[in-house]
Amino acid sequence: QSALTQPRSVSGSPGQSVTISCTGTSSDVGGYNYVSWYQQHPGKAPKLMIYDVSKRPSGVPDRFSGSKSGNTASLTISGLQAEDEADYYCCSYAGSYTFEVFGTGTKVTVL
Amino acid sequence: QVQLQESGPGLVKPSETLSLTCAVSGYSISSGYYWGWIRQPPGKGLEWIGSIYHSGSTYYNPSLKSRVTISVDTSKNQFSLKLSSVTAADTAVYYCARDFSGWGFYNYWGQGTLVTVSS
């Protein structure tokens, strides 16, 4: 099972919006609505930002939103802030043999 | 507040077995949820290793399945990872985490522990 494909990096100025894509197959992203997104600052553990494609855990700002179309999921950060600069990983359920697969990761830079 | 803490040797020799334990506080493992291990090689992305349900059912990454064993000790409120026949490619930060769904939604994580495979 290959990792889900994410762009290596995206960037934006404070206040702008950025979108990170996560491309898989019909066996993972496209086959289930079990996509999650994690934020990871350097030297820190990942933090759950989105689950079930578009749900936000308590405490996650509503600037973070998720969506899915076909085999591609997306994370959008609106009103970009300096503290949003981090690595972001998607994750998808991939069935009862592979179970879970992470994306390749995207570095978000706030200009 | 739920807290997870990994522990184990930071250095393992090639061909030996890597053993880590995750101590859980603030929640009883026997009460439910899935408990997983995820690793991250230096400068690289996350890789799911496997998970265990509170009842003891296990789920492993197919690419690691032949070398991985995850177990739970409810009396000590901890779960463990064993990875056999390690090579330098197994050098990584190893995280333990709680999955509240069984679909890979990890809402509590340990701080991570670096394990280096080297002679």
Side-chain angles (χ1 to χ4, degrees):
Chain A
Q1 177 71 28
S2 299
L4 307 175
T5 301
Q6 298 180 231
R8 181 173 291 271
S9 64
V10 299
S11 61
S13 299
Q16 290 186 331
S17 294
V18 295
T19 296
I20 303 167
S21 61
C22 169
T23 302
T25 69
S26 58
S27 296
D28 39 63
V29 175
Y32 308 93
N33 287 322
Y34 299 133
V35 176
S36 53
W37 288 90
Y38 297 86
Q39 176 192 65
Q40 186 180 35
H41 288 108
K44 301 295 186 182
K47 175 186 177 182
L48 181 65
M49 305 301 283
I50 294 287
Y51 68 97
D52 274 350
V53 174
S54 60
K55 296 179 181 177
R56 282 186 309 276
S58 174
V60 172
D62 59 6
R63 303 184 290 104
F64 293 86
S65 62
S67 63
K68 191 187 87 166
S69 177
N71 296 337
T72 299
S74 299
L75 174 72
T76 297
I77 310 173
S78 305
L80 200 61
Q81 299 183 4
E83 59 262 36
D84 299 334
E85 185 163 293
D87 293 326
Y88 291 82
Y89 294 91
C90 61
C91 180
S92 175
Y93 180 70
S96 58
Y97 175 74
T98 304
F99 299 108
E100 299 166 23
V101 59
F102 280 94
T104 51
T106 298
K107 180 175 179 58
V108 171
T109 301
V110 181
L111 301 171
Chain B
Q1 177 73 346
V2 179
Q3 293 184 314
L4 294 86
Q5 178 69 57
E6 305 90 350
S7 62
L11 181 64
V12 180
K13 289 182 169 56
S15 81
E16 295 190 344
T17 296
L18 178 160
S19 295
L20 296 174
T21 296
C22 182
V24 179
S25 59
Y27 185 84
S28 173
I29 288 181
S30 60
S31 295
Y33 295 125
Y34 296 79
W35 305 86
W37 289 96
I38 299 99
R39 69 180 182 179
Q40 185 172 36
K44 296 187 178 181
L46 301 170
E47 180 182 32
W48 177 71
I49 300 170
S51 298
I52 187 165
Y53 191 47
H54 69 97
S55 62
S57 299
T58 52
Y59 312 86
Y60 299 134
N61 184 325
S63 68
L64 300 170
K65 185 174 184 177
S66 63
R67 298 194 292 130
V68 173
T69 301
I70 297 175
S71 59
V72 64
D73 186 339
T74 54
S75 66
K76 295 182 178 179
N77 212 39
Q78 63 187 32
F79 62 106
S80 300
L81 168 70
K82 291 187 185 298
L83 181 66
S84 63
S85 304
V86 297
T87 68
D90 295 310
T91 294
V93 174
Y94 285 76
Y95 294 100
C96 60
R98 189 184 86 172
D99 176 358
F100 67 86
S101 65
W103 312 124
F105 304 158
Y106 296 95
N107 60 343
Y108 288 101
W109 292 69
Q111 63 186 28
T113 187
L114 175 63
V115 179
T116 301
V117 178
S118 176
S119 55

